[in-house]
Coordinates of all heavy atoms in Angstrom, one line a residue:
M6 N 91.6 105.4 100.9 CA 92.2 104.2 101.4 C 92.2 103.1 100.3 O 91.2 102.8 99.7 CB 91.4 103.7 102.6 CG 92.1 102.4 103.2 SD 91.2 101.9 104.7 CE 91.6 103.1 105.9
S7 N 93.4 102.5 100.0 CA 93.5 101.5 99.0 C 92.9 100.2 99.5 O 92.6 100.0 100.7 CB 94.9 101.2 98.6 OG 95.6 100.5 99.6
A8 N 92.6 99.3 98.5 CA 92.0 98.0 98.9 C 93.0 97.2 99.8 O 92.5 96.5 100.7 CB 91.7 97.2 97.6
L9 N 94.3 97.3 99.5 CA 95.2 96.6 100.4 C 95.2 97.1 101.8 O 95.2 96.4 102.7 CB 96.6 96.7 99.8 CG 97.7 96.0 100.4 CD1 97.4 94.5 100.5 CD2 99.0 96.1 99.7
E10 N 95.2 98.5 102.0 CA 95.1 99.0 103.3 C 93.8 98.6 104.0 O 93.8 98.3 105.2 CB 95.2 100.6 103.2 CG 96.6 101.1 102.9 CD 96.5 102.6 102.5 OE1 95.5 103.0 102.0 OE2 97.5 103.2 102.8
N11 N 92.7 98.6 103.2 CA 91.5 98.2 103.8 C 91.5 96.8 104.2 O 90.9 96.4 105.2 CB 90.4 98.5 102.7 CG 89.0 98.7 103.4 OD1 88.9 98.8 104.6 ND2 88.0 98.8 102.6
N12 N 92.2 95.9 103.4 CA 92.3 94.5 103.8 C 93.0 94.3 105.1 O 92.6 93.5 106.0 CB 93.2 93.8 102.8 CG 92.5 93.5 101.5 OD1 91.3 93.7 101.3 ND2 93.3 93.1 100.5
E13 N 94.1 95.1 105.4 CA 94.8 95.0 106.6 C 94.0 95.4 107.8 O 94.0 94.8 108.8 CB 96.1 95.8 106.5 CG 97.1 95.2 105.5 CD 98.2 96.1 105.2 OE1 98.3 97.2 105.7 OE2 99.1 95.7 104.3
T14 N 93.2 96.5 107.6 CA 92.4 97.0 108.7 C 91.2 96.1 109.0 O 90.8 96.0 110.1 CB 91.9 98.4 108.5 OG1 91.2 98.5 107.3 CG2 93.1 99.4 108.4
A15 N 90.7 95.4 108.0 CA 89.6 94.5 108.1 C 90.0 93.2 108.7 O 89.2 92.4 109.0 CB 88.9 94.4 106.8
G16 N 91.3 92.9 108.7 CA 91.8 91.6 109.2 C 91.5 90.5 108.2 O 91.4 89.4 108.6
S17 N 91.4 90.8 106.9 CA 91.0 89.8 106.0 C 92.2 88.9 105.6 O 93.3 89.3 105.9 CB 90.4 90.4 104.7 OG 91.3 91.1 104.0
H18 N 91.9 87.9 104.8 CA 93.0 87.0 104.4 C 93.0 86.9 102.9 O 93.1 85.8 102.3 CB 92.8 85.6 105.0 CG 93.0 85.7 106.5 ND1 92.0 85.9 107.4 CD2 94.1 85.6 107.3 CE1 92.4 85.9 108.6 NE2 93.7 85.8 108.6
L19 N 92.7 88.0 102.2 CA 92.8 88.0 100.7 C 94.2 87.8 100.2 O 95.1 88.4 100.8 CB 92.2 89.3 100.1 CG 90.7 89.6 100.4 CD1 90.4 90.9 99.8 CD2 89.8 88.5 99.9
T20 N 94.3 87.0 99.2 CA 95.7 86.8 98.6 C 96.0 88.0 97.7 O 95.1 88.8 97.4 CB 95.7 85.5 97.8 OG1 94.8 85.7 96.7 CG2 95.3 84.3 98.6
D21 N 97.2 88.0 97.3 CA 97.6 89.1 96.3 C 96.7 89.0 95.1 O 96.3 90.0 94.6 CB 99.1 89.0 96.0 CG 99.5 90.0 95.0 OD1 99.3 91.2 95.3 OD2 100.0 89.7 94.0
L22 N 96.5 87.8 94.6 CA 95.7 87.6 93.4 C 94.3 88.1 93.6 O 93.7 88.8 92.8 CB 95.7 86.1 93.0 CG 94.8 85.8 91.8 CD1 95.2 86.5 90.5 CD2 94.8 84.3 91.6
E23 N 93.7 87.8 94.7 CA 92.3 88.2 95.0 C 92.2 89.7 95.1 O 91.3 90.3 94.6 CB 91.9 87.5 96.3 CG 91.7 86.0 96.1 CD 91.5 85.3 97.5 OE1 92.0 85.8 98.5 OE2 91.0 84.1 97.4
T24 N 93.2 90.3 95.7 CA 93.2 91.8 95.8 C 93.4 92.4 94.4 O 92.7 93.4 94.1 CB 94.4 92.2 96.7 OG1 94.2 91.7 98.0 CG2 94.5 93.8 96.8
R25 N 94.2 91.8 93.6 CA 94.4 92.3 92.2 C 93.1 92.1 91.4 O 92.7 93.0 90.6 CB 95.5 91.6 91.5 CG 96.9 92.0 92.1 CD 98.1 91.2 91.5 NE 98.0 90.9 90.1 CZ 98.3 89.7 89.6 NH1 98.7 88.7 90.3 NH2 98.1 89.6 88.3
I26 N 92.4 91.0 91.6 CA 91.1 90.8 90.9 C 90.1 91.9 91.3 O 89.4 92.5 90.5 CB 90.5 89.4 91.2 CG1 91.4 88.4 90.5 CG2 89.1 89.3 90.8 CD1 91.0 86.9 90.8
L27 N 90.0 92.2 92.6 CA 89.1 93.3 93.0 C 89.5 94.6 92.4 O 88.6 95.4 92.0 CB 89.0 93.4 94.6 CG 88.3 92.2 95.3 CD1 88.4 92.4 96.8 CD2 86.9 92.1 94.8
D28 N 90.8 94.9 92.4 CA 91.2 96.2 91.8 C 90.9 96.2 90.3 O 90.5 97.2 89.8 CB 92.7 96.3 92.0 CG 93.1 96.7 93.5 OD1 92.2 97.1 94.2 OD2 94.3 96.5 93.8
F29 N 91.1 95.1 89.7 CA 90.8 95.0 88.2 C 89.3 95.2 88.0 O 88.9 95.9 87.0 CB 91.2 93.6 87.7 CG 91.0 93.4 86.3 CD1 91.8 93.9 85.3 CD2 90.0 92.5 85.9 CE1 91.6 93.7 84.0 CE2 89.8 92.3 84.5 CZ 90.6 92.8 83.6
E30 N 88.4 94.7 88.8 CA 87.0 94.8 88.6 C 86.5 96.3 88.8 O 85.4 96.6 88.4 CB 86.2 93.9 89.5 CG 86.3 92.5 89.1 CD 85.6 92.3 87.7 OE1 84.5 92.8 87.5 OE2 86.2 91.5 86.9
R31 N 87.3 97.1 89.3 CA 86.9 98.5 89.4 C 86.9 99.3 88.1 O 86.4 100.3 87.9 CB 87.9 99.3 90.4 CG 87.6 98.9 91.8 CD 88.5 99.7 92.8 NE 88.2 99.3 94.1 CZ 88.7 98.3 94.8 NH1 89.6 97.5 94.1 NH2 88.4 98.0 96.0
N32 N 87.6 98.7 87.1 CA 87.7 99.2 85.7 C 86.4 99.0 85.0 O 85.6 98.1 85.2 CB 88.8 98.6 84.9 CG 90.2 98.9 85.5 OD1 90.4 100.0 85.9 ND2 91.0 97.9 85.6
W33 N 86.1 99.9 84.0 CA 85.0 99.8 83.1 C 85.5 99.4 81.8 O 86.5 100.0 81.3 CB 84.2 101.1 83.1 CG 83.6 101.4 84.4 CD1 84.2 102.2 85.4 CD2 82.4 101.0 84.9 NE1 83.4 102.2 86.5 CE2 82.2 101.5 86.2 CE3 81.3 100.2 84.5 CZ2 81.1 101.3 87.0 CZ3 80.2 100.0 85.3 CH2 80.1 100.5 86.5
W34 N 84.8 98.5 81.1 CA 85.2 98.0 79.8 C 84.2 98.4 78.7 O 83.0 98.2 78.8 CB 85.4 96.5 79.8 CG 86.4 96.2 80.9 CD1 86.1 95.8 82.2 CD2 87.8 96.2 80.8 NE1 87.3 95.6 82.8 CE2 88.3 95.9 82.0 CE3 88.7 96.5 79.7 CZ2 89.7 95.8 82.3 CZ3 90.0 96.5 80.0 CH2 90.5 96.1 81.3
R35 N 84.7 99.1 77.7 CA 83.8 99.6 76.7 C 83.7 98.7 75.5 O 82.7 98.7 74.7 CB 84.3 101.0 76.1 CG 84.3 102.1 77.2 CD 84.8 103.3 76.6 NE 85.0 104.3 77.6 CZ 85.0 105.6 77.4 NH1 84.9 106.1 76.2 NH2 85.3 106.4 78.4
F36 N 84.7 97.9 75.2 CA 84.7 97.2 74.0 C 84.7 95.7 74.2 O 85.4 95.2 75.2 CB 86.0 97.5 73.2 CG 86.2 99.0 72.9 CD1 87.1 99.7 73.6 CD2 85.4 99.6 72.0 CE1 87.2 101.1 73.4 CE2 85.5 101.0 71.7 CZ 86.4 101.7 72.4
A37 N 83.9 95.0 73.5 CA 83.8 93.5 73.6 C 85.2 92.9 73.4 O 85.9 93.2 72.5 CB 82.8 93.0 72.6
G38 N 85.5 92.0 74.3 CA 86.8 91.3 74.1 C 88.0 92.0 74.8 O 89.0 91.3 75.1
A39 N 87.9 93.3 75.1 CA 89.0 94.0 75.8 C 89.2 93.4 77.2 O 90.4 93.2 77.6 CB 88.7 95.5 75.8
K40 N 88.2 93.2 77.9 CA 88.3 92.7 79.3 C 89.0 91.3 79.3 O 89.9 91.0 80.1 CB 87.0 92.7 80.0 CG 87.1 92.3 81.5 CD 85.8 92.4 82.2 CE 86.0 92.1 83.7 NZ 84.7 92.2 84.4
E41 N 88.5 90.4 78.4 CA 89.0 89.0 78.3 C 90.5 89.0 77.9 O 91.3 88.2 78.5 CB 88.2 88.2 77.3 CG 86.8 87.8 77.9 CD 85.8 89.0 77.9 OE1 86.0 90.0 77.3 OE2 84.8 88.8 78.7
T42 N 90.9 89.9 77.0 CA 92.3 90.1 76.6 C 93.1 90.5 77.8 O 94.2 90.0 78.1 CB 92.4 91.1 75.5 OG1 91.7 90.6 74.4 CG2 93.9 91.2 75.1
A43 N 92.6 91.5 78.6 CA 93.3 92.0 79.8 C 93.4 90.9 80.8 O 94.4 90.8 81.5 CB 92.6 93.2 80.3
I44 N 92.4 90.1 81.0 CA 92.4 89.0 82.0 C 93.6 88.0 81.6 O 94.3 87.6 82.5 CB 91.1 88.2 82.0 CG1 90.0 89.1 82.7 CG2 91.2 86.9 82.7 CD1 88.6 88.6 82.5
K45 N 93.7 87.7 80.4 CA 94.7 86.7 79.9 C 96.1 87.4 80.1 O 97.0 86.7 80.6 CB 94.5 86.4 78.4 CG 95.6 85.5 77.9 CD 95.5 84.1 78.5 CE 96.5 83.2 77.9 NZ 96.8 82.0 78.8
E46 N 96.2 88.6 79.8 CA 97.5 89.3 79.9 C 97.9 89.5 81.4 O 99.1 89.3 81.8 CB 97.5 90.6 79.2 CG 97.5 90.4 77.7 CD 97.3 91.8 76.9 OE1 97.3 92.8 77.6 OE2 97.2 91.7 75.7
L47 N 97.0 90.0 82.2 CA 97.3 90.4 83.6 C 97.4 89.2 84.5 O 98.2 89.2 85.5 CB 96.3 91.4 84.1 CG 96.4 92.8 83.4 CD1 95.2 93.6 83.9 CD2 97.7 93.5 83.7
F48 N 96.5 88.2 84.3 CA 96.4 87.1 85.3 C 96.8 85.8 84.8 O 96.9 84.8 85.5 CB 94.9 87.0 85.8 CG 94.4 88.3 86.4 CD1 93.6 89.1 85.8 CD2 94.9 88.6 87.7 CE1 93.1 90.3 86.4 CE2 94.4 89.8 88.3 CZ 93.5 90.6 87.7
D49 N 97.0 85.7 83.5 CA 97.4 84.4 82.8 C 96.3 83.4 83.1 O 96.6 82.2 83.5 CB 98.8 83.9 83.2 CG 99.3 82.9 82.3 OD1 98.9 82.8 81.1 OD2 100.1 82.0 82.7
L50 N 95.1 83.8 83.1 CA 93.9 82.9 83.3 C 93.0 83.0 82.1 O 92.9 84.0 81.4 CB 93.1 83.3 84.5 CG 93.8 83.3 85.9 CD1 93.0 84.0 86.9 CD2 94.1 81.8 86.3
T51 N 92.2 81.9 81.9 CA 91.2 82.0 80.9 C 90.0 82.8 81.5 O 89.9 82.9 82.7 CB 90.7 80.6 80.5 OG1 90.1 80.0 81.7 CG2 91.8 79.7 79.9
A52 N 89.2 83.3 80.6 CA 88.1 84.1 81.1 C 87.2 83.3 82.0 O 86.8 83.7 83.1 CB 87.3 84.7 80.0
P53 N 86.8 82.0 81.6 CA 85.9 81.2 82.5 C 86.5 81.0 83.9 O 85.9 81.1 84.9 CB 85.7 79.9 81.8 CG 85.9 80.3 80.3 CD 87.0 81.4 80.3
R54 N 87.8 80.7 83.9 CA 88.5 80.5 85.2 C 88.5 81.8 86.1 O 88.3 81.7 87.3 CB 89.9 80.0 85.0 CG 90.7 79.7 86.3 CD 90.0 78.6 87.1 NE 90.7 78.4 88.4 CZ 90.1 78.1 89.5 NH1 88.8 78.0 89.6 NH2 90.8 78.0 90.6
Y55 N 88.8 82.9 85.4 CA 88.8 84.2 86.1 C 87.4 84.4 86.8 O 87.3 84.8 87.9 CB 89.1 85.3 85.2 CG 88.9 86.7 85.7 CD1 89.9 87.3 86.5 CD2 87.8 87.4 85.6 CE1 89.8 88.5 87.1 CE2 87.6 88.6 86.1 CZ 88.6 89.2 86.9 OH 88.4 90.4 87.4
Y56 N 86.3 84.2 86.0 CA 85.0 84.4 86.5 C 84.6 83.5 87.6 O 83.9 83.8 88.5 CB 84.0 84.5 85.4 CG 84.1 85.7 84.5 CD1 84.6 85.7 83.2 CD2 83.9 87.0 85.1 CE1 84.7 86.8 82.5 CE2 84.0 88.2 84.3 CZ 84.5 88.1 83.0 OH 84.6 89.2 82.3
Q57 N 85.1 82.2 87.5 CA 84.9 81.3 88.7 C 85.5 81.9 89.9 O 84.9 81.9 91.0 CB 85.6 79.9 88.3 CG 84.8 79.1 87.4 CD 85.6 77.8 87.0 OE1 86.8 77.7 87.2 NE2 84.8 76.8 86.6
L58 N 86.8 82.3 89.8 CA 87.5 82.9 91.0 C 86.7 84.1 91.5 O 86.6 84.3 92.7 CB 88.9 83.2 90.6 CG 89.9 82.1 90.3 CD1 91.2 82.6 89.8 CD2 90.0 81.2 91.5
L59 N 86.3 85.0 90.6 CA 85.6 86.2 91.0 C 84.3 85.9 91.7 O 84.0 86.5 92.7 CB 85.3 87.1 89.7 CG 84.5 88.3 90.0 CD1 85.3 89.3 90.9 CD2 84.2 89.0 88.6
N60 N 83.5 85.0 91.2 CA 82.3 84.6 91.8 C 82.5 84.0 93.2 O 81.7 84.3 94.1 CB 81.5 83.7 90.9 CG 80.7 84.4 89.8 OD1 80.0 85.4 90.1 ND2 80.8 84.0 88.6
D61 N 83.5 83.2 93.3 CA 83.8 82.6 94.7 C 84.2 83.8 95.6 O 83.9 83.8 96.8 CB 84.9 81.6 94.6 CG 84.4 80.3 93.9 OD1 83.2 80.1 93.8 OD2 85.3 79.5 93.5
L62 N 85.0 84.7 95.1 CA 85.6 85.8 95.9 C 84.5 86.7 96.4 O 84.5 87.1 97.6 CB 86.6 86.6 95.0 CG 87.3 87.8 95.7 CD1 88.0 87.4 96.9 CD2 88.2 88.4 94.7
I63 N 83.5 87.1 95.5 CA 82.5 88.0 96.0 C 81.5 87.4 96.9 O 80.7 88.2 97.5 CB 81.8 88.7 94.8 CG1 81.0 87.8 93.9 CG2 82.8 89.5 93.9 CD1 80.1 88.5 92.8
D64 N 81.5 86.2 97.1 CA 80.7 85.5 98.1 C 81.3 85.5 99.5 O 80.6 85.2 100.5 CB 80.4 84.1 97.7 CG 79.3 84.0 96.6 OD1 78.5 84.9 96.5 OD2 79.4 83.0 95.9
R65 N 82.5 85.9 99.6 CA 83.3 85.9 100.9 C 83.1 87.1 101.7 O 83.2 88.2 101.1 CB 84.7 85.5 100.6 CG 84.9 84.1 100.0 CD 86.3 83.8 99.7 NE 87.4 84.5 100.5 CZ 88.6 84.5 100.0 NH1 89.0 84.0 98.9 NH2 89.5 85.2 100.7
D66 N 83.1 87.0 103.0 CA 82.9 88.1 103.9 C 84.2 89.0 103.9 O 84.1 90.2 104.0 CB 82.7 87.7 105.3 CG 81.2 87.1 105.5 OD1 80.4 87.5 104.6 OD2 81.0 86.3 106.4
D67 N 85.4 88.4 103.7 CA 86.6 89.2 103.7 C 86.7 90.1 102.5 O 87.2 91.2 102.6 CB 87.9 88.3 103.9 CG 88.0 87.2 103.0 OD1 87.1 86.9 102.2 OD2 89.1 86.6 103.0
A68 N 86.2 89.6 101.4 CA 86.1 90.5 100.2 C 85.2 91.6 100.4 O 85.4 92.8 100.0 CB 85.8 89.7 99.0
L69 N 84.0 91.3 101.0 CA 83.0 92.4 101.3 C 83.6 93.4 102.3 O 83.5 94.6 102.1 CB 81.8 91.7 101.9 CG 80.7 92.7 102.3 CD1 80.1 93.4 101.0 CD2 79.5 91.9 103.0
A70 N 84.4 92.9 103.3 CA 85.0 93.9 104.2 C 86.1 94.7 103.5 O 86.3 95.9 103.8 CB 85.6 93.1 105.4
A71 N 86.8 94.1 102.6 CA 87.9 94.8 101.9 C 87.4 95.8 100.9 O 88.0 96.9 100.8 CB 88.8 93.8 101.1
S72 N 86.3 95.6 100.3 CA 85.8 96.5 99.2 C 84.2 96.4 99.2 O 83.7 95.8 98.2 CB 86.4 96.2 97.9 OG 86.1 97.2 97.0
P73 N 83.6 96.9 100.2 CA 82.1 96.7 100.3 C 81.3 97.2 99.1 O 80.4 96.5 98.6 CB 81.7 97.4 101.6 CG 82.9 98.2 102.0 CD 84.1 97.7 101.3
M74 N 81.6 98.4 98.6 CA 80.8 99.0 97.5 C 80.9 98.1 96.2 O 80.0 97.8 95.5 CB 81.1 100.4 97.2 CG 80.6 101.3 98.3 SD 81.1 103.1 98.1 CE 80.2 103.4 96.6
L75 N 82.2 97.8 95.9 CA 82.5 97.0 94.7 C 81.8 95.6 94.8 O 81.2 95.2 93.9 CB 84.0 96.8 94.5 CG 84.4 95.9 93.4 CD1 84.0 96.5 92.0 CD2 85.9 95.7 93.4
V76 N 82.0 94.9 95.9 CA 81.5 93.6 96.1 C 79.9 93.6 96.0 O 79.3 92.8 95.3 CB 82.0 92.9 97.4 CG1 81.3 91.6 97.7 CG2 83.5 92.7 97.3
K77 N 79.3 94.6 96.6 CA 77.9 94.7 96.6 C 77.4 94.9 95.1 O 76.4 94.4 94.7 CB 77.4 95.8 97.5 CG 77.4 95.4 99.0 CD 77.0 96.5 99.8 CE 77.2 96.2 101.3 NZ 76.8 97.3 102.2
R78 N 78.1 95.8 94.4 CA 77.8 96.0 93.0 C 77.9 94.8 92.2 O 77.0 94.4 91.4 CB 78.6 97.2 92.4 CG 78.3 97.4 91.0 CD 79.1 98.6 90.4 NE 80.5 98.4 90.4 CZ 81.2 97.8 89.5 NH1 80.6 97.3 88.4 NH2 82.5 97.7 89.6
L79 N 79.0 94.0 92.4 CA 79.2 92.8 91.6 C 78.2 91.8 91.9 O 77.7 91.0 91.1 CB 80.6 92.3 91.9 CG 81.8 93.1 91.3 CD1 83.1 92.6 91.8 CD2 81.7 93.2 89.8
R80 N 77.8 91.7 93.2 CA 76.7 90.8 93.6 C 75.4 91.1 92.9 O 74.6 90.3 92.5 CB 76.5 90.8 95.1 CG 77.7 90.0 95.8 CD 77.4 90.2 97.3 NE 78.5 89.5 98.1 CZ 78.5 89.4 99.4 NH1 77.6 90.1 100.1 NH2 79.5 88.8 100.0
R81 N 75.1 92.4 92.9 CA 73.8 92.9 92.2 C 73.8 92.5 90.8 O 72.8 92.1 90.2 CB 73.6 94.4 92.4 CG 73.1 94.8 93.8 CD 72.7 96.2 93.8 NE 73.6 97.2 93.3 CZ 74.6 97.8 94.0 NH1 74.7 97.5 95.3 NH2 75.4 98.6 93.5
L82 N 74.9 92.8 90.1 CA 75.1 92.5 88.7 C 74.9 91.0 88.4 O 74.2 90.6 87.5 CB 76.4 92.9 88.1 CG 76.6 94.5 88.0 CD1 78.0 94.8 87.7 CD2 75.7 95.0 87.0
R83 N 75.5 90.2 89.3 CA 75.4 88.7 89.1 C 73.9 88.3 89.3 O 73.4 87.5 88.5 CB 76.3 88.0 90.1 CG 76.2 86.5 90.0 CD 77.2 85.8 91.0 NE 76.8 86.1 92.4 CZ 77.5 85.8 93.4 NH1 78.6 85.1 93.3 NH2 77.1 86.1 94.6
E84 N 73.3 88.8 90.3 CA 71.9 88.5 90.6 C 71.0 88.9 89.4 O 70.1 88.1 89.0 CB 71.4 89.2 91.9 CG 70.0 88.8 92.3 CD 69.8 87.4 92.6 OE1 70.7 86.7 93.1 OE2 68.7 86.9 92.4
A85 N 71.2 90.1 88.8 CA 70.5 90.5 87.7 C 70.6 89.6 86.5 O 69.7 89.3 85.8 CB 70.8 92.0 87.3
R86 N 71.9 89.1 86.3 CA 72.1 88.2 85.1 C 71.4 86.9 85.4 O 70.9 86.3 84.5 CB 73.7 88.0 85.0 CG 74.4 89.1 84.3 CD 75.8 88.8 83.9 NE 76.6 88.3 85.0 CZ 77.3 89.1 85.8 NH1 77.3 90.4 85.6 NH2 78.0 88.6 86.8
M87 N 71.5 86.4 86.6 CA 70.8 85.1 86.9 C 69.3 85.3 86.8 O 68.7 84.3 86.2 CB 71.1 84.7 88.4 CG 72.6 84.3 88.5 SD 73.1 84.0 90.2 CE 72.0 82.8 90.8
Q88 N 68.7 86.4 87.2 CA 67.3 86.6 87.0 C 66.9 86.7 85.5 O 65.9 86.2 85.1 CB 66.8 87.8 87.7 CG 66.8 87.6 89.2 CD 66.4 88.9 90.0 OE1 66.2 89.9 89.4 NE2 66.2 88.7 91.3
A89 N 67.7 87.3 84.7 CA 67.5 87.5 83.3 C 67.5 86.1 82.6 O 66.7 85.8 81.7 CB 68.5 88.4 82.7
R90 N 68.4 85.2 83.1 CA 68.5 83.9 82.5 C 67.3 83.0 82.8 O 66.8 82.3 82.0 CB 69.8 83.1 83.0 CG 71.0 83.4 82.2 CD 72.1 82.5 82.7 NE 73.3 83.4 82.8 CZ 74.0 83.5 83.9 NH1 73.7 82.8 85.0 NH2 75.1 84.3 83.9
T91 N 66.8 83.1 84.1 CA 65.6 82.3 84.5 C 64.3 82.9 83.9 O 63.3 82.2 83.9 CB 65.6 82.2 86.0 OG1 65.5 83.5 86.6 CG2 66.8 81.5 86.5
A92 N 64.3 84.1 83.5 CA 63.1 84.8 83.0 C 62.8 84.3 81.6 O 61.7 84.4 81.1 CB 63.2 86.3 83.0
H93 N 63.8 83.7 80.9 CA 63.5 83.3 79.5 C 63.1 81.9 79.4 O 63.2 80.9 79.8 CB 64.8 83.4 78.7 CG 65.2 84.8 78.4 ND1 66.1 85.5 79.2 CD2 64.7 85.7 77.5 CE1 66.1 86.8 78.8 NE2 65.3 86.9 77.8

């Protein structure tokens, strides 16, 4: 089931941009800078703005309903980064 189909069955209100962001986050990036370049090309956003939108998005219940495994993984990664920052 695609994220869009899952959105419709979950009754969420994700925008097209939000759905595209979740789809984009399913990719893995091997090279430094490649993701930031793709963000600029695909979304016409700066990397900081993209990450602001992403962080707001993964806190929402409709994003969790649309893509539970992805959103939970992104939340875990964010939490690990926050813990690493406060440990120093």
Side-chain angles (χ1 to χ4, degrees):
M6 181 178 289
S7 75
L9 185 56
E10 290 168 327
N11 207 7
N12 286 349
E13 292 168 359
T14 59
S17 71
H18 296 91
L19 295 179
T20 66
D21 179 57
L22 174 61
E23 292 165 341
T24 301
R25 289 175 39 225
I26 287 173
L27 289 178
D28 288 341
F29 180 75
E30 283 299 317
R31 286 184 180 84
N32 295 317
W33 296 91
W34 302 95
R35 295 182 192 201
F36 305 106
K40 185 173 182 180
E41 286 72 19
T42 300
I44 288 168
K45 180 65 177 162
E46 290 174 2
L47 294 172
F48 300 105
D49 195 28
L50 296 170
T51 63
R54 180 64 183 141
Y55 171 84
Y56 288 113
Q57 285 176 335
L58 292 172
L59 176 62
N60 278 311
D61 290 344
L62 179 59
I63 66 174
D64 286 333
R65 293 179 25 201
D66 289 337
D67 53 351
L69 181 62
S72 191
M74 290 179 62
L75 174 65
V76 170
K77 287 177 185 177
R78 179 176 62 85
L79 293 171
R80 287 177 178 178
R81 282 192 309 271
L82 290 170
R83 179 179 62 185
E84 182 64 28
R86 283 191 304 270
M87 289 170 56
Q88 287 179 355
R90 275 189 224 123
T91 58
H93 289 96

